[in-house]
Amino acid sequence: MAVVTTGFFDGVHLGHRHVLSDLVAAARERGESSVVATFWPHPRTILQDGARELRLLSSLDEKKELIAACGVDRTEVIPFSKSFSALTAQEYIDQVLKGQFGASAILLGYDNRLGSDRKNPDQIAEIARSLGLEVIRPSAVDSGEVPISSTRIRNAVAEGRVEDAAEMLGRHYGLTGVVVAGNRLGRTIGFPTANMQLYEPLKLLPKGGVYHVGVEVQGRRYEGMCNIGRRPTVSSGEALAIETNIFGFDEEIYGLPISISFLSRIRDERRFGSLDELKAQLQADRSRCLFSAEK
């Protein structure tokens, strides 16, 4: 038997982690498994509800790792499809949570909505009890605070407010991908860069500009600075690039995985009149990052 909670859990932010902590505690108290039932892909990509604008805080692998780090016994990923979306809340609870995952209890978040009939938490609770499930509500948080939500975090990241996003996530927002070949111009002015291709194409990018970042590559961690943008000084400004200058590192890492975490925003991207002006600005950017790292 299991205590189950369900939702998309994008970003697995502090609000999610509060719910997951209660889930794990309730399951241990009952001597049962703790289970998160989540979906992939995002429902909006199937139902076409603003799918073009959709960007995610976490890939599926990231989400599963973050949930496991909270002590949850199992994460069950349900393939989201049009036929699945037709299930009512009662059908979903009875057939999936109870029938497939062995739920004896369901933990409801404050904003849970379930089923094609979009039942709210109070309605879900009534349905669950009618099916013989115990209903558990998360313990209270400070009512004076605005609830943390994935939407608030997405807005912060999209606006470049990565420090605000980190406060709500409980960690620095990051990107993971593979190093691909660039134009190698940075090397000629003393700032070689690792150009990233994202593993998850729907991952949300911070607002274009220069950031102080942490970098993980080859099992080691470094400081660095990352530019997200269209490189108007050295290109026609069409292709978006994610390029990171890793401090104290100058090795060939094409084809290798790389992860960056956004520590702070340094400045907007802009066009410079010459490569010498660009180099001078990059030197100032690096000094600012190193000063920030020493604080």
Side-chain angles (χ1 to χ4, degrees), residues 177-183 193-198 242 253-256 258:
V178 63
V179 179
V180 295
N183 61 11
T193 59
N195 293 267
M196 174 189 288
Q197 179 176 307
L198 296 176
I242 308 165
I253 51 174
Y254 296 130
L256 297 183
I258 185 171

Side-chain angles (χ1 to χ4, degrees), residues 3-286:
V3 181
V4 180
T5 192
T6 186
F8 194 74
F9 291 96
D10 189 27
V12 193
H13 54 61
L14 288 178
H16 292 143
R17 284 156 60 178
H18 178 79
V19 170
L20 297 178
S21 175
D22 284 355
L23 174 75
V24 170
R28 287 176 179 168
E29 184 177 331
R30 298 163 65 97
E32 298 180 356
S33 296
S34 53
V35 176
V36 169
T38 190
F39 318 107
W40 197 266
H42 194 286
R44 283 169 59 182
T45 65
I46 301 301
L47 303 177
Q48 299 182 345
D49 177 18
R52 180 176 296 180
E53 293 78 31
L54 174 67
R55 293 296 180 270
L56 301 174
L57 297 171
S58 53
S59 67
L60 178 58
D61 286 342
E62 289 168 340
K63 178 164 65 171
K64 290 164 65 176
E65 289 175 9
L66 289 165
I67 291 172
C70 293
V72 174
D73 293 316
R74 293 188 349 250
T75 298
E76 298 285 358
V77 180
I78 302 165
F80 196 91
S81 63
K82 285 193 174 181
S83 60
F84 174 80
S85 73
L87 291 178
T88 65
Q90 180 162 336
E91 290 169 336
Y92 174 63
I93 295 169
D94 190 27
Q95 297 174 23
V96 181
L97 301 188
K98 187 177 177 182
Q100 292 184 33
F101 304 149
S104 66
I106 182 172
L107 188 146
L108 294 177
Y110 75 93
D111 61 348
N112 263 138
R113 292 273 179 173
L114 284 185
S116 57
D117 43 358
R118 301 292 293 161
K119 297 297 187 183
N120 64 37
D122 289 339
Q123 294 169 322
I124 296 167
E126 183 177 346
I127 293 168
R129 291 190 185 102
S130 74
L131 294 170
L133 300 182
E134 180 183 343
V135 175
I136 303 170
R137 295 295 181 98
S139 56
V141 295
D142 185 348
S143 59
E145 297 179 358
V146 177
I148 294 171
S149 70
S150 297
T151 298
R152 285 184 64 205
I153 299 169
R154 289 189 198 106
N155 289 340
V157 172
E159 293 166 7
R161 296 184 288 109
V162 294
E163 290 168 290
D164 291 343
E167 288 186 6
M168 292 184 279
L169 285 167
R171 66 185 185 280
H172 296 294
Y173 183 70
L175 302 174
T176 302
V178 63
V179 179
V180 295
N183 61 11
R184 302 179 70 88
L185 179 65
R187 185 174 299 277
T188 67
I189 58 173
F191 289 89
T193 59
N195 293 267
M196 174 189 288
Q197 179 176 307
L198 296 176
Y199 286 143
E200 173 51 68
L202 288 182
K203 190 77 184 276
L204 176 64
L205 293 180
K207 179 182 179 180
V210 178
Y211 294 84
H212 179 204
V213 296
V215 186
E216 290 188 20
V217 64
Q218 295 183 317
R220 290 171 285 173
R221 182 172 175 82
Y222 301 86
E223 300 282 328
M225 57 184 183
C226 174
N227 182 75
I228 297 176
R230 304 186 185 279
R231 302 177 293 185
T233 304
V234 298
S235 74
S236 60
E238 295 177 359
L240 185 70
I242 308 165
E243 48 187 3
T244 303
N245 174 241
I246 308 171
F247 303 155
F249 183 90
D250 189 14
E251 299 178 24
E252 294 287 355
I253 51 174
Y254 296 130
L256 297 183
I258 185 171
S259 297
I260 58 175
S261 53
F262 293 89
L263 308 181
S264 63
R265 180 177 169 84
I266 301 301
R267 62 173 174 85
D268 288 336
E269 183 181 50
R270 63 187 180 90
R271 182 189 299 273
F272 295 91
S274 67
L275 286 181
D276 285 340
E277 286 184 26
L278 172 60
K279 181 177 179 179
Q281 181 62 61
L282 292 175
Q283 289 170 335
D285 294 339
R286 180 164 58 186

